[in-house]
Amino acid sequence: MLDDQVVYDVYSYTRGNPDIPGHLYWGLTVLKPLLINNECNMTKGHFHEDRDCAEIYFGIQGEGLLLLMDESGKCWAEKIYEGSLHYIDGHIAHRLVNTGEKDLKVGACWPTTAGHDYQAIEDHPFPYRVLKRNGQIEFLKVGNQNEL
Ligand SMILES: [Fe+2]
């Protein structure tokens, strides 16, 4: 893969005030359908700095997974498809994974005051990675890099 390959884009928009609780962002994430050593393309993932701020995701195009992880490290996934709707509690980390053959487009709506906590993910990464081999999705427990 080229060093300057764009793997995903995130767009956000608001007419509100980012500093006032109750105002909202609307967003769009577009993930390319890339495989790196059989691993599906994914976003970095985050908790919200303000854990009281929830978020709505909704599938617009493509196929993917929403990886979710609570603060104890328990991890699960929801399928994303055109028309799917996902409510994400503020105490749940969230990451998008493109498991399909075309761009995965996911809309989002969240409070302007939510913030993004990426550090918590760096300190305690998602415990599963998502692979695709021969068209089949596989979950790999992190720490078993040799199976990639
Ligand atoms: Fe979020």
Side-chain angles (χ1 to χ4, degrees):
M1 190 174 76
L2 298 172
D3 286 345
D4 59 354
Q5 168 77 53
V6 173
V7 295
Y8 66 88
D9 286 306
V10 180
Y11 307 89
S12 63
Y13 170 79
T14 186
R15 292 184 68 180
N17 184 324
D19 298 323
I20 298 178
H23 291 209
L24 297 171
Y25 278 118
W26 183 90
L28 172 67
T29 299
V30 181
L31 281 106
K32 298 295 178 191
L34 300 170
L35 291 177
I36 313 293
N37 294 333
N38 296 317
E39 184 168 15
C40 296
N41 187 20
M42 62 191 170
T43 59
K44 193 171 184 179
H46 60 268
F47 283 96
H48 291 163
E49 281 179 27
D50 183 347
R51 301 290 201 267
D52 288 333
C53 290
E55 182 164 10
I56 295 283
Y57 273 7
F58 46 98
I60 296 173
Q61 175 189 286
E63 296 177 3
L65 291 170
L66 170 58
L67 280 193
L68 300 160
M69 179 176 69
D70 69 17
E71 291 171 302
S72 74
K74 180 186 172 197
C75 183
W76 66 102
E78 295 180 2
K79 281 189 176 179
I80 297 177
Y81 50 89
E82 184 179 330
S84 66
L85 184 64
H86 312 267
Y87 185 91
I88 304 165
D89 182 272
H91 293 264
I92 305 296
H94 35 293
R95 160 180 282 173
L96 292 169
V97 184
N98 188 349
T99 58
E101 302 298 322
K102 56 184 176 183
D103 285 1
L104 175 67
K105 296 183 178 178
V106 179
C109 189
W110 72 100
T112 56
T113 54
H116 294 88
D117 178 1
Y118 296 106
Q119 189 62 49
I121 300 300
E122 290 188 21
D123 294 342
H124 301 283
F126 283 82
Y128 288 95
R129 300 168 79 169
V130 181
L131 311 181
K132 186 155 84 171
R133 279 194 271 243
N134 302 318
Q136 298 294 311
I137 300 302
E138 301 173 17
F139 293 90
L140 178 71
K141 192 94 165 115
V142 170
N144 215 355
Q145 305 286 329
N146 292 336
E147 292 187 13
L148 285 177

